Amino acid sequence: MMMNSTQVSYFVLSAYFDTRMLKYFIFLVLMCLYTVIIGCNVVLIVVICVNRSLHEPMYLFLCSLFVNELYGSTGLFPFLLIQILSDVHTVSAPLCFLQVFCIHSYVTVEFFNLAVMSYDRYVAICHPLRYNVLMSRRKLSGLIAASWLPPVLLVVIMISLSFSLQLCGNIINKVYCDNYSVVKLACSDTTVNNIYGLISTAFSVFVPVGFILYTYMRILKVCFSGSKQTRQKAVSTCTPHLASLLNFCVSCVFEIIQSRFQLSAAPPTLRIVLSLYFLTCQPLFNPLMYGLKLSKIRSMWRSLFPLK
């Protein structure tokens, strides 16, 4: 008899394998990585919040980005650390769906944040004289809200559809819960889920990425026809953003490949690393990239932590 997903009390995460005493070393490495991620992002959030000179749209958008990095990594690492030390790799259904919500909303918010940041760079470079008018406090608040609220709504609808499915099993072949793995367990019709998945993917990934590409086409057009100073400004402020976008897109492609295709020939460790790349590398990559590349953040960092 098919049972509703609300009647599944737990899921089994089958991607974990016995590492014997090595699990303590893996735990320590991941704990250190999580600590560094928390430290880097929190320090930059504090630097931006306490310095009024950084209360500009670009830095407030960065603050939103760093908050999302904390949110996404926290949706994974505590769960992952517990599972590594556990002998039985099971997760309760409510906790599994909570992790699905955290991870999918993190990804969607990340793309929306990057799109909003690209709009800010477009206005600053292509319309510098109207920047303060086009990026007013009211519009700034609206853009930050728009980078969080629609993604959360998209994911809530997605989880509601998945939660109502009838499941024929409870084994997830990953080290964490994700929506696609849950939907694959369904023995009821998943047509609505698949259609909504395509629509939400288009809206949460292709629309923001397409918008980013459009803004950079306009920025490049201005750079090629502008002065050397304009080009230098564009390079200094746009390079971290483009690097962040490229890194996140590549990491998402890794996740899609290992989720959608059978990689049975690949070593289990490689499959796990590929599936975790977008949740471990991006939260560390962004604060390091922006902290090192943006001169105002570097100078504020030095004033807070002077080298003796």
Side-chain angles (χ1 to χ4, degrees):
M1 182 178 72
M2 295 185 297
M3 56 184 177
N4 191 276
S5 61
T6 55
Q7 296 172 316
V8 174
S9 59
Y10 66 93
F11 292 94
V12 178
L13 302 172
S14 63
Y16 288 95
F17 55 93
D18 185 16
T19 54
R20 300 183 184 277
M21 298 302 292
L22 189 61
K23 68 181 180 182
Y24 297 105
F25 174 72
I26 297 172
F27 175 88
L28 184 61
V29 170
L30 290 176
M31 175 62 81
C32 291
L33 178 60
Y34 183 45
T35 303
V36 172
I37 288 172
I38 294 292
C40 290
N41 284 283
V42 167
V43 165
L44 288 178
I45 290 170
V46 171
V47 166
I48 292 171
C49 289
V50 302
N51 290 280
R52 295 188 64 85
S53 63
L54 296 181
H55 291 183
E56 302 172 9
M58 180 175 73
Y59 297 102
L60 294 178
F61 290 141
L62 276 177
C63 192
S64 175
L65 188 73
F66 298 146
V67 169
N68 191 46
E69 307 305 351
L70 288 175
Y71 169 66
S73 57
T74 302
L76 171 73
F77 276 95
F79 175 86
L80 193 64
L81 292 169
I82 292 171
Q83 289 292 328
I84 287 172
L85 294 182
S86 176
D87 294 325
V88 180
H89 305 294
T90 60
V91 54
S92 66
L95 184 58
C96 186
F97 279 104
L98 175 62
Q99 187 174 48
V100 170
F101 172 79
C102 291
I103 290 175
H104 284 266
S105 56
Y106 158 73
V107 172
T108 310
V109 170
E110 189 81 359
F111 277 115
F112 272 60
N113 261 312
L114 291 171
V116 166
M117 290 169 66
S118 73
Y119 174 73
D120 174 68
R121 292 301 82 210
Y122 160 73
V123 174
I125 294 169
C126 299
H127 303 284
L129 300 179
R130 300 178 59 204
Y131 182 78
N132 291 331
V133 175
L134 294 174
M135 297 300 294
S136 63
R137 288 289 177 181
R138 183 175 179 180
K139 189 168 185 178
L140 174 64
S141 301
L143 288 172
I144 292 176
S147 65
W148 283 86
L149 297 181
V152 169
L153 179 60
L154 284 170
V155 176
V156 167
I157 296 173
M158 179 193 72
I159 291 178
S160 300
L161 292 173
S162 300
F163 194 74
S164 63
L165 289 173
Q166 293 176 315
L167 304 182
C168 292
N170 66 343
I171 298 177
I172 295 176
N173 188 29
K174 298 192 77 168
V175 295
Y176 62 90
C177 296
D178 74 312
N179 187 66
Y180 182 73
S181 298
V182 173
V183 172
K184 284 199 298 185
L185 298 173
C187 43
S188 57
D189 186 21
T190 60
T191 302
V192 175
N193 299 73
N194 294 333
I195 293 174
Y196 181 77
L198 292 173
I199 294 172
S200 63
T201 300
F203 188 69
S204 61
V205 178
F206 295 115
V207 168
V209 171
F211 179 77
I212 292 169
L213 294 176
Y214 170 76
T215 57
Y216 272 97
M217 286 174 60
R218 299 293 299 270
I219 289 172
L220 285 174
K221 184 179 179 181
V222 170
C223 288
F224 282 123
S225 60
S227 63
K228 182 180 179 181
Q229 184 180 3
T230 302
R231 287 193 294 271
Q232 289 176 340
K233 179 184 177 182
V235 169
S236 64
T237 60
C238 293
T239 299
H241 181 264
L242 284 175
S244 176
L245 175 66
L246 181 62
N247 181 69
F248 195 60
C249 287
V250 169
S251 62
C252 286
V253 169
F254 284 164
E255 161 62 8
I256 292 170
I257 289 174
Q258 76 89 30
S259 292
R260 267 48 173 190
F261 303 100
Q262 294 295 327
L263 299 178
S264 55
T269 304
L270 177 61
R271 297 202 300 269
I272 293 172
V273 169
L274 290 178
S275 69
L276 295 177
Y277 183 83
F278 78 109
L279 287 165
T280 56
C281 186
Q282 187 76 357
L284 183 61
F285 180 86
N286 276 339
L288 292 178
M289 171 62 71
Y290 284 103
L292 293 172
K293 289 293 291 183
L294 297 182
S295 58
K296 277 193 176 183
I297 291 182
R298 284 204 312 271
S299 61
M300 289 298 174
W301 175 279
R302 288 169 183 165
S303 65
L304 286 176
F305 304 101
L307 296 175
K308 294 183 180 180

